[in-house]
Amino acid sequence: MDRRNFLRNSLAATAVAATAPGIHAGARAANGTADSIARIPVMPRLQPASAAKAPDMVPMGAFTHAGRQWTVHEDLDRIDGDLQLRCDQGVLVLGKRTEAAWGSDSPPYFGMALRDVAMAEADLLADRLLRDGDPDEAEVRDVAPPPASRLDAKDYNGRLPWTTFVGTAEGNDTMQVFPDGRTRTYRAIQYFPELARNEWVARRSEGLLGGWMPAVHKAIPAGEGRWYDILVFADVNAGDKFVVQTWHRAMLVEGGKATQVVYGHSYPEFPPARRSASAEQFYAGLVDFAGYWEQKLADFPALRLPDPSWADMARHAFARELVVRPGGVEPKYGAVDRDYYGNEYDGFQDTFTSSLYANLEWGRFDQAAAVLDNYFVSFMDAGGMVNMRGPEVGQFGLTLSLLARYLRCTGDVALLRKHLGKIEGTARILTDLHDASLALPKSDRGHGLLHGWNESDACLYPDPSLWWKPYYANSAMAIRGWEDIAAVWSMLSSQAALPQRWLQRAGQLRERLLQSIRANVRRDLTPAYLGPLPGTRETFRQAMSQEDPSKSEQLWSHRVYVELLQADVLPADLANLMIDCLRGHGGTTLGIVSNIWKPSPEARDILGFISYGHAQQLLRLDRIEEYLLFLYAHRYQAHTRGSWTAGEVAGITGGMPLFCMPAQMTVPLLLRWMLVFDQGDELFIARAVPRDWLARGTPIAAEGLPTPWGRVSLELQCKPDEQRIDGHLTLPTRAPGHTWLTLRVPAGKALRKVVVDGREAGIEGPHEDRVRVDAAPGSRVRIQAFYG
């Protein structure tokens, strides 16, 4: 169950906007605070005018800004037409990519009854979507109503919920945006009464300006060739600490023309003291907005993918993180509402670990360092205990593992030495728990296995001891943490004995963990079953079926499973058994770990956050089709369409889930691992690229993706008519144990021959689609592959 349920148990001639001189200066002071933050606008990247010709675009006006004369042009023949701002130095092109927020009109669930899908132990939708190998992305998209597509005010205390939000990195709060485009301070409905028609709003399309920037774009249909086009974004020049100033444009488009346009800034008019924004002010604010966000994400690696929206989605996640975190750094689990924006969530370990992991994987090392330093300074005491109500044992181990990864990827010894005592304390928390488990009688089911809360919310119940148990993930993550931090300890300290003791404990604990797991596998069930801790007599679904599931020690089993898989301490036979167990006994929904709770004929939920550990193990086991299903399902069924607000727990019936930041980081992680993934001392390139992506014949390229051995670049392009793949790889400057390239050729074809720098390479791997790349570190390698 999610935490909230738990806690509750032309400026067109008809434009009505008036010119308001001074919003860029006067209104800053009027609407801002005495100690506002001064910022210098940054010019955005401009394209050459010749590269962005648009003879059919509608002229929307002209303005002067930053010493330049600008003109505004817009394609109003389509709801996703470009918006262009032109000056003598080039063109700022802002796309308006949109997605249908309502999803699809086709029958959901492949025509099956929701009750049958929800109550089945098997993941019926996953079984159907995986019937032909790689899942079809469009099928995954349309298999269920997406989040925020079936909203009814009666389900939300009489008013529709917010579905996205805007803000800046420097601000300490965010501003929510509702389905009709209004915020808490500005409503376009005052100028366009038709926006009150909920049936129109329900059929909206949504997107992000520029493809990824945190500017909300909505297109609300209003008849044939007629729609309301709404833009909302935060004022990046405003200096308020807590108040989020916003720019607004609402426009009625009819027959490819803007027949009415209204511009606004933050609040309704209060003449004569406060008047609406002018078009000139709005577009000047938009230029600054684009420059600001391009600068904030300047370190995001260059990507070229057959569908650019995937790269946009990853980039947007990091922009959204800056919006959510006060000052761009302070942690927040959610946004807007007290749940989950309250300070009681700030020290939540998952917010820290998911952010650190994702920023490291995409080479955003400055942000990773800021997040790491902030957490260790503000949310950890000298003994390594976190400043959070309910510490989670597994996350202590994951923290140690990610610190080791940070050091291997960045070489930043100084930052970790600054916190060396706290790092030792984190490891000591786990060794103390291990000692306590070893003191138990050998007949105890938890002897030698780390006891403790696996889920933070356990601490809120009348008797938290019910969940102070030997969950398998506690021990698995401790092993992972000790082994990884021990491997780099010599770079931080001369205490040679300490890492040796950690490794000795890790070996001892691994032996005990595997012994317990093998002894507790239930092979009388099909598929074989393993519970979240030793000695369980019921399956997790049976345990959750009791009248009050919150009285079961198997509550939050989903967390145990994803962390156990993420830790990567199980041999392949047990890891495969675990994944089959989840999929066959009600533990996955659309291939993603379910939010394991009381079965209901009306719901079957997806665990949007922390579940990336399950996907990671799918990739390690080369269960690529299931990995892709996880990726597609997370995008389309755990995020709102177009605005990409990720839910902590998402249903499959179209309601609005609660946003949480760790869920937003899942798609960036999976997309990165699809392209470049390290496993032990081996490096895998293009391991999970969809067959369809190569088959399209468009380039797939990523530049400078970081690994523990240095950065990697790849370029691949299929020539379908010649049944050939051409490409180049730029290898890291230090050599992994092995480097592997996977070439997942179009469906129905087989890889026949691969030539690496003029030498034929042997085709290997469980799917016979992998070659070993033997070349000097740092070299650029040419690839030619043939299939048929």
Side-chain angles (χ1 to χ4, degrees), residues 48 249 272 688:
R249 190 192 76 174

Side-chain angles (χ1 to χ4, degrees), residues 541-560:
R541 208 170 219 223
Q542 290 169 338
M544 292 296 98
S545 296
Q546 61 183 282
E547 184 176 350
D548 184 358
S550 67
K551 294 180 179 179
S552 170
E553 66 180 6
Q554 296 196 57
L555 190 60
W556 306 297
S557 292
H558 42 257
R559 178 182 283 276
V560 180

